[in-house]
């Protein structure tokens, strides 16, 4: 079996497994966030099933991702550092001000905010600026400048 049936199966099995696990209370959704530890009630079998589910997700995404570059996604993908580093500030502010607490369209609002953050931080100018700042290239430039100035002012 190859082609699209294998991809469809690699998509359907993890979705069904997670739905069944969550519906019968085998796993809690918080466990899938990655910030909560596996507590004592999760057996080795449940952990193995979750690992297999994760493997199938990776397999599915590797099958459906195109081989060539997609212009918009390639630019955003090359500039993920500012998105990764700055989205937490927005999430924290949204929690403090209850941005997602009082609206009926929480998912649509969250999607819109995500698109706006990607547009603001995932472009080339923002990527260059934040890469310059967060990777301390500015400190290297200051060091090289100071080192050059020391040579100019030193006595022979």
């Amino acid at each position: 079996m190859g082609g699209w049936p294998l991809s469809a199966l690699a998509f359907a099995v993890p979705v069904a497994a997670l739905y069944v696990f969550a519906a019968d209370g085998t796993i809690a959704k918080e466990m899938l966030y990655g910030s909560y530890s596996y507590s004592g009630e999760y057996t080795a079998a449940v952990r193995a099933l979750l690992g297999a589910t994760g493997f199938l997700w990776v397999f599915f995404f590797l099958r459906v991702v195109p081989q060539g570059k997609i212009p918009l996604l390639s630019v955003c993908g090359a500039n993920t550092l500012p998105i990764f580093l700055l989205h937490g500030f927005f999430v924290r502010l949204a929690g403090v001000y209850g941005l997602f607490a009082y609206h009926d369209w929480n998912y649509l609002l969250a999607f819109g905010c995500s698109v706006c953050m990607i547009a603001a931080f995932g472009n080339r100018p923002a990527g260059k600026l934040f890469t310059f700042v967060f990777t301390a290239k500015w400190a290297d430039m200051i060091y090289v400048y100071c080192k050059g100035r020391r040579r100019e002012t030193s006595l022979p």
Side-chain angles (χ1 to χ4, degrees):
M1 178 165 55
W4 73 267
L6 187 60
S7 297
L9 190 63
F11 176 79
V13 170
V15 169
L18 289 176
Y19 180 77
V20 169
F21 289 156
D24 72 358
T26 303
I27 62 169
K29 66 180 180 179
E30 290 83 13
M31 189 178 96
L32 300 176
Y33 292 145
S35 58
Y36 296 94
S37 64
Y38 293 97
S39 60
E41 69 256 13
Y42 295 109
T43 64
V46 171
R47 293 180 192 193
L49 286 172
L50 286 173
T53 303
F55 174 78
L56 285 174
W57 273 115
V58 170
F59 180 75
F60 167 72
F61 284 117
L62 289 176
R63 289 203 42 93
V64 298
V65 170
Q67 297 296 320
K69 286 187 175 184
I70 301 172
L72 177 65
L73 295 179
S74 296
V75 170
C76 291
N79 298 301
T80 56
L81 179 67
I83 298 170
F84 173 72
L85 292 174
L86 298 174
H87 84 281
F89 293 111
F90 177 79
V91 170
R92 184 67 71 168
L93 284 173
V96 166
Y97 291 111
L99 180 63
F100 300 118
Y102 305 109
H103 300 286
D104 294 332
W105 297 89
N106 281 344
Y107 294 115
L108 186 60
L109 183 62
F111 179 75
C113 290
S114 298
V115 169
C116 289
M117 280 190 289
I118 290 170
F121 303 135
N123 54 48
R124 283 189 181 107
K128 286 184 179 184
L129 173 69
F130 286 106
T131 300
F132 178 77
V133 171
F134 288 127
T135 58
K137 289 186 179 180
W138 54 271
D140 290 339
M141 290 177 63
I142 292 172
Y143 174 75
V144 168
Y145 176 76
C146 291
K147 189 175 177 182
R149 295 281 296 176
R150 196 172 339 138
R151 285 187 186 155
E152 291 174 7
T153 59
S154 65
L155 295 172

